Amino acid sequence: MNFNDLTDVSAWLTQDRIDAAIMVAVNVVAALVILLVAMAISAWAKRRIVALSQRYKRLDDTLFGFLGNMVKYLILAIGVIFILNRFGIQTTSLAALVGAAGLAIGLALQGTLSNLAAGVMIILFRPFRQGDFIAAGSESGTVTEIQLFYTVLTTYDGIQIIVPNSDIWSSAITNFSANPTRMMDLTIGVAYDADLKKTQEVLENISLSDPRALPEPAPVIRVKQLGDSSVDFTFRVWAKTEDFWGLQAEYTRKIKVEFDANDIGIPFPTRTLEVVQVPKIETRSVTRESGAA
């Protein structure tokens, strides 16, 4: 580098350019500081919101995790706006551009966005929680995971089903685990020649024989109807939700054993076939003779 090169550099390096370079450097440093502060505040806010659900057991972890992420990204978005303003970028025109792009993306991703909206509604309104056994649409199973776009179910035989949230939210949701107690409603058929009073007593004794059956509401055992081949009894017993299936299987077994011990017949459908013999119709052939005229 010679003296002429140094002269050219000094001529190019004017005060205005030095001030502009210093301003750019200051803006870059300020942008980095704003970004770091926004990241720190967003992470702190998310931790504080998630900690609320861990501190109070009645609050749902999934809901507060979702709210924590929403607050985190909102703070980061505000930080980005401050950074853009720092560099002199007009955020109003940028917002219009983002809105137009968002409309185009929304039209292209209608199904995905509907799943997202349904996921937000599920998380906010909580029609079911993790561990609940539900039936929604054509699927049923135990809820193992709730995400913004889908819900994971596990069937009774261990099969995992991933259901889009829009399919769940747009259909009726049956939550078998929502209430602490459930009513077992069985229909028991006995033969027409059975002693109804004795049958009533046997069923009442069975209903009181298992401690899993709740005393309140009291069991209901009544004659329901006179069926085609049996007298049907209504057998209703309340139990805790977690005891429901085991108690129903045990009662079914006990009813069969006790009916056999007390000679109470349990009818089964029968069909009588009547064979009608159709008389054989005799046929004969007739031969006609024709002569010449």
Side-chain angles (χ1 to χ4, degrees), residues 22-90:
I22 294 174
M23 182 61 66
V24 170
V26 171
N27 287 336
V28 171
V29 173
L32 290 175
V33 172
I34 293 173
L35 181 60
L36 292 175
V37 171
M39 292 175 63
I41 294 176
S42 63
W44 174 83
K46 180 181 178 180
R47 287 196 303 268
R48 294 291 297 175
I49 294 175
V50 173
L52 290 176
S53 64
Q54 298 175 353
R55 184 181 306 172
Y56 303 101
K57 297 300 182 182
R58 68 178 183 274
L59 301 179
D60 186 70
D61 294 339
T62 306
L63 175 60
F64 277 80
F66 170 74
L67 294 177
N69 286 326
M70 291 288 291
V71 172
K72 175 184 176 180
Y73 293 127
L74 178 61
I75 294 174
L76 290 176
I78 294 174
V80 171
I81 292 175
F82 276 109
I83 292 174
L84 294 177
N85 286 330
R86 187 71 187 181
F87 285 98
I89 299 175
Q90 296 296 325

Side-chain angles (χ1 to χ4, degrees), residues 95-232:
L97 180 62
V98 171
L103 178 61
I105 294 173
L107 293 175
L109 301 175
Q110 292 183 11
T112 302
L113 292 179
S114 65
N115 288 329
L116 174 62
V120 172
M121 299 298 287
I122 290 173
I123 292 174
L124 289 178
F125 291 98
R126 313 306 298 162
F128 52 84
R129 301 173 182 271
Q130 287 184 350
D132 290 351
F133 187 87
I134 67 169
S138 60
E139 305 295 344
S140 62
T142 301
V143 180
T144 57
E145 189 177 353
I146 304 173
Q147 296 292 337
L148 285 177
F149 295 96
Y150 60 87
T151 298
V152 180
L153 304 179
T154 301
T155 61
Y156 69 95
D157 53 349
I159 298 175
Q160 184 185 74
I161 303 176
I162 299 176
V163 186
N165 285 332
S166 60
D167 292 348
I168 294 178
W169 190 252
S170 61
S171 62
I173 301 173
T174 304
N175 191 339
F176 296 94
S177 306
N179 297 325
T181 59
R182 287 183 61 183
M183 184 187 71
M184 181 190 314
D185 190 359
L186 301 177
T187 299
I188 312 298
V190 299
Y192 266 94
D193 59 355
D195 188 336
L196 298 185
K197 183 178 180 181
K198 184 178 181 181
T199 303
Q200 178 87 19
E201 293 175 354
V202 170
L203 291 176
E204 289 176 352
N205 292 332
I206 293 174
S207 67
L208 301 175
S209 62
D210 199 301
R212 291 174 294 181
L214 299 177
E216 291 294 335
V220 175
I221 301 172
R222 298 286 187 273
V223 174
K224 179 181 181 180
Q225 65 181 1
L226 301 178
D228 294 336
S229 59
S230 64
V231 178
D232 296 333

